[in-house]
């Protein structure tokens, strides 16, 4: 087992059993968004028991330690998390949208990196994950800066309508989007967001997992649209919480309709 002292120094090869167990649960993970061995619930309980209440940094630290030392989690993780943090600081957004809350790790990082007065709305497909994330965010003291919406943009319009009627989404209102949900939904959801008119010139969309598990169609789309309605930077990095598998995070600025 890796030791906590190794955090932040060298990153470790992935945890064999915990990672393999996740691969065995991959089918379930990509349909129901839980691995199936209770690790999401265990993470939530661990954060509430171990992280200092009201301490955002401590909640992030405890999740990273849990993910390195106990159960591999598909959080964006500390290495890719720094890419997300930097993109948020560059964009200085006021209204942020996340697709794929999972247990709330990236929402914690986003709340830490976003400017004062900014608000994140995070959409999660799995109701149990949404509840775990809410508890973690409340415990960390940022429950008022992050709203978690149970749903999906591809549900025929229900969630999009709720975002507009209940959560302030309107034309040109979204400054930053983080995509980290079902990989087959990246492009259709990007299209839904553009069609809803929520973006403005200068809005930024960051996408995780473009190399692993991989979203080749999204990468291809951004390449085809480069310099027309999008301008993209590809960040080479690694899959969360290990060093063997490479990943790509795409940071794309919307240039407005071509
Ligand atoms: Mg991810």
């Amino acid at each position: 087992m890796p030791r906590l002292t190794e955090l932040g120094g060298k990153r470790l090869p992935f945890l064999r059993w915990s990672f393999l167990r996740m691969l065995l649960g991959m089918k379930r993970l990509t349909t129901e968004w839980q691995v199936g061995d209770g690790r999401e619930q265990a993470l939530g309980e661990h954060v509430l028991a171990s992280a200092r209440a009201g301490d955002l940094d401590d909640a992030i630290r405890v999740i990273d330690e849990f993910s390195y030392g106990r159960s591999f989690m598909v959080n964006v993780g500390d290495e890719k998390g720094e890419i997300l943090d930097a993109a948020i600081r560059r964009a200085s957004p006021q209204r942020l949208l996340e697709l794929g809350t999972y247990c709330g790790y990236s929402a914690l990082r986003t709340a830490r990196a976003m400017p004062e007065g900014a608000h994140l709305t995070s959409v999660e497909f799995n109701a149990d994950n949404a509840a775990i994330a809410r508890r973690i965010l409340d415990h960390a003291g940022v429950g008022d800066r992050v709203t978690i919406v149970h749903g999906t943009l591809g549900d025929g319009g229900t969630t999009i309508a709720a975002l507009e009627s209940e959560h302030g989404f309107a034309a040109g209102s979204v400054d930053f989007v983080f995509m980290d949900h079902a990989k087959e939904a990246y492009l259709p959801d990007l299209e839904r967001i553009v069609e809803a008119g929520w973006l403005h010139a200068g809005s930024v969309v960051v996408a995780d997992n473009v190399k692993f598990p991989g979203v080749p169609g999204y990468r291809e789309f951004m390449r085809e649209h480069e310099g027309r309605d999008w301008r993209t930077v590809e960040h080479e990095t690694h899959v969360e919480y290990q060093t063997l598998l490479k990943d790509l995070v795409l940071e794309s600025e919307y240039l407005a309709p071509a």
Side-chain angles (χ1 to χ4, degrees), residues 74-77 80 178-181 183 186 207-209 212-213 240 247:
V74 291
N75 309 132
V76 73
K80 290 190 288 183
F178 179 48
M179 293 212 191
D180 193 16
H181 61 324
K183 305 313 157 197
Y186 278 29
D208 188 26
N209 305 114
F212 185 90
E240 50 267 30
D247 201 356

Side-chain angles (χ1 to χ4, degrees), residues 7-24:
L7 274 174
K10 60 176 179 178
R11 290 190 174 86
L12 301 144
F14 50 70
L15 304 168
R16 285 173 293 270
W17 169 246
S18 176
F19 190 81
L20 287 175
R21 177 67 187 81
M22 187 208 66
L23 292 181
L24 292 174

Side-chain angles (χ1 to χ4, degrees), residues 1 36 43 117 137 146 161 204 207 244 246:
M1 290 283 277
L43 172 71
L137 289 154
V146 181
V204 171
L244 301 184
K246 289 189 172 165

Side-chain angles (χ1 to χ4, degrees), residues 9-56:
K10 60 176 179 178
R11 290 190 174 86
L12 301 144
F14 50 70
L15 304 168
R16 285 173 293 270
W17 169 246
S18 176
F19 190 81
L20 287 175
R21 177 67 187 81
M22 187 208 66
L23 292 181
L24 292 174
M26 208 64 180
K27 177 91 174 93
R28 185 174 164 137
L29 183 63
T30 55
T31 52
E32 295 170 43
W33 295 101
Q34 291 209 341
V35 176
D37 59 0
R39 67 181 67 188
E40 294 84 7
Q41 190 67 35
L43 172 71
E45 286 163 12
H46 181 68
V47 172
L48 265 63
S50 307
R52 278 189 296 274
D55 189 333
L56 186 49

Side-chain angles (χ1 to χ4, degrees), residues 61-226:
R61 179 188 65 80
V62 165
I63 297 175
D64 283 331
E65 286 184 0
F66 182 97
S67 307
Y68 276 114
R70 193 159 143 190
S71 284
F72 176 89
M73 307 292 296
V74 291
N75 309 132
V76 73
D78 52 347
E79 182 182 350
K80 290 190 288 183
E82 285 175 12
I83 296 171
L84 175 64
D85 297 349
I88 293 169
R89 294 206 175 94
R90 270 191 291 276
S92 197
Q94 278 298 304
R95 183 183 303 282
L96 302 89
L97 170 66
E98 174 177 62
L99 302 181
T101 317
Y102 194 45
C103 299
Y105 175 83
S106 44
L108 291 168
R109 291 195 77 109
T110 299
R112 183 168 69 178
M114 68 191 190
E116 228 181 294
H119 195 90
L120 168 66
T121 303
S122 185
V123 177
E124 170 58 34
F125 175 79
N126 181 294
D128 294 331
N129 290 343
I132 291 165
R134 269 190 209 103
R135 281 197 292 274
I136 289 176
L137 289 154
D138 285 344
H139 184 78
V142 292
D144 56 337
R145 306 184 67 205
V146 181
T147 304
I148 295 172
V149 173
H150 173 221
T152 167
L153 297 194
D155 61 5
T158 309
T159 298
I160 286 178
L163 290 172
E164 293 187 341
S165 63
E166 296 166 35
H167 301 286
F169 282 64
S173 69
V174 176
D175 308 305
F176 193 93
V177 180
F178 179 48
M179 293 212 191
D180 193 16
H181 61 324
K183 305 313 157 197
E184 68 278 10
Y186 278 29
L187 262 183
D189 283 353
L190 183 72
E191 199 173 319
R192 290 179 182 109
I193 289 167
V194 168
E195 267 179 25
W198 292 344
L199 302 182
H200 56 79
S203 295
V204 171
V205 178
V206 169
D208 188 26
N209 305 114
V210 173
K211 193 176 189 99
F212 185 90
V215 201
Y218 184 89
R219 191 180 188 191
E220 188 61 30
F221 174 90
M222 285 304 179
R223 283 183 168 172
E224 283 170 6
H225 288 247
E226 177 66 22

